[in-house]
Amino acid sequence: MAKIVTADYDLDIEIPSLNDMSDEELFNFCAQNKNARIERDENHQIYIMAPAGLFGSSLNAIATSLLVQWNLQNGSGKVFESSAGFFLPDKSMRSPDAAWLSNAKWAAIPEKEKLKFSYVVPEFIIEVMSPSDRLPQLKKKMEKWMENGVLLAWLIVPQFKQAFIYRADGSVDIVKSFDEKLLGEDVLPGFVLDLNNLK
């Protein structure tokens, strides 16, 4: 067992050979290290992310719960929180803070795959920037989500009271105040996230 020591905490982690880890090995690695949030990029680089902190975790919970409420009302898909993993076409494995998958996509996933990380791209994702994140890196991550087939994505930046809206057509809009609302547009018709809830 290896220990990763940071300024804020010690993290015990079970580490197999990280070179060319198979998808199955990656899932097992994540399952063995449930105290860590782990992602893999398209170059098979493993990222272990710092905890969100109380404020960031609270914002994640609010955004996810509002998405759940909307989905329960129309029953159009499945909502996932930050522990869900998605294998994307570029061979990365990402875990957004919140994600939504249509019923059609959910039905197409083999039952055994639903018990692990799945080879499916969510139509919608939310990422909330935490104090340990860097905005340029998060923007690149959002671009990767879109390149892999996400239709609509929101990057919420509470530190600056901003949000970035990414669309499948390549457009990106910046919302410069938390007095605004984010709309689900054609992807999530009727879904509204009032950013005032995140102040």
Side-chain angles (χ1 to χ4, degrees):
M1 179 180 292
K3 181 183 290 289
I4 297 175
V5 181
T6 73
D8 300 317
Y9 60 94
D10 293 350
L11 180 62
D12 291 322
I13 247 183
E14 297 286 346
I15 301 182
S17 173
L18 297 181
N19 293 329
D20 298 320
M21 191 187 297
S22 70
D23 292 347
E24 183 72 19
E25 288 170 334
L26 177 62
F27 175 80
N28 292 333
F29 175 56
C30 295
Q32 291 164 4
N33 296 285
K34 294 178 181 179
N35 57 338
R37 185 173 173 189
I38 299 166
E39 289 187 342
R40 181 180 72 189
D41 71 11
E42 67 277 12
N43 299 312
H44 277 219
Q45 176 70 46
I46 301 296
Y47 290 87
I48 299 170
M49 289 160 286
L54 292 181
F55 183 62
S57 179
S58 173
L59 299 188
N60 291 350
I62 292 169
T64 304
S65 66
L66 292 172
L67 182 58
V68 167
Q69 290 172 24
W70 169 84
N71 191 67
L72 287 174
Q73 289 176 354
N74 62 46
S76 59
K78 296 288 183 184
V79 175
F80 305 89
E81 43 79 49
S82 61
S83 63
F86 299 91
F87 287 121
L88 303 180
D90 67 0
K91 308 302 180 187
S92 64
M93 188 285 289
R94 304 286 187 179
S95 298
D97 290 316
W100 179 85
L101 197 66
S102 65
N103 285 329
K105 277 199 169 186
W106 175 254
I109 301 172
E111 290 302 316
K112 286 184 179 179
E113 211 173 287
K114 291 177 181 177
L115 302 177
K116 298 186 177 184
F117 302 152
S118 184
Y119 298 87
V120 66
V121 180
E123 285 101 325
F124 171 73
I125 65 106
I126 301 173
E127 295 278 12
V128 179
M129 183 173 166
S130 66
S132 62
D133 290 327
R134 298 293 174 264
L135 188 55
Q137 285 82 0
L138 268 182
K139 287 181 177 179
K140 288 180 181 178
K141 183 178 178 182
M142 299 302 287
E143 290 168 3
K144 293 295 183 183
W145 275 116
M146 304 314 294
E147 289 170 7
N148 278 280
V150 170
L151 302 179
L152 179 67
W154 298 342
L155 170 57
I156 299 172
V157 186
Q159 297 89 329
F160 305 132
K161 299 293 188 286
Q162 292 182 340
F164 295 81
I165 303 168
Y166 292 77
R167 299 183 183 88
D169 63 7
S171 65
V172 181
D173 285 344
I174 304 175
V175 176
K176 297 183 178 180
S177 168
F178 268 23
D179 292 324
E180 304 292 333
K181 297 177 180 179
L182 302 181
L183 306 179
E185 302 180 4
D186 293 338
V187 181
L188 305 173
F191 179 49
V192 178
L193 175 59
D194 187 343
L195 292 171
N196 273 295
N197 292 317
L198 304 184
K199 286 183 176 180

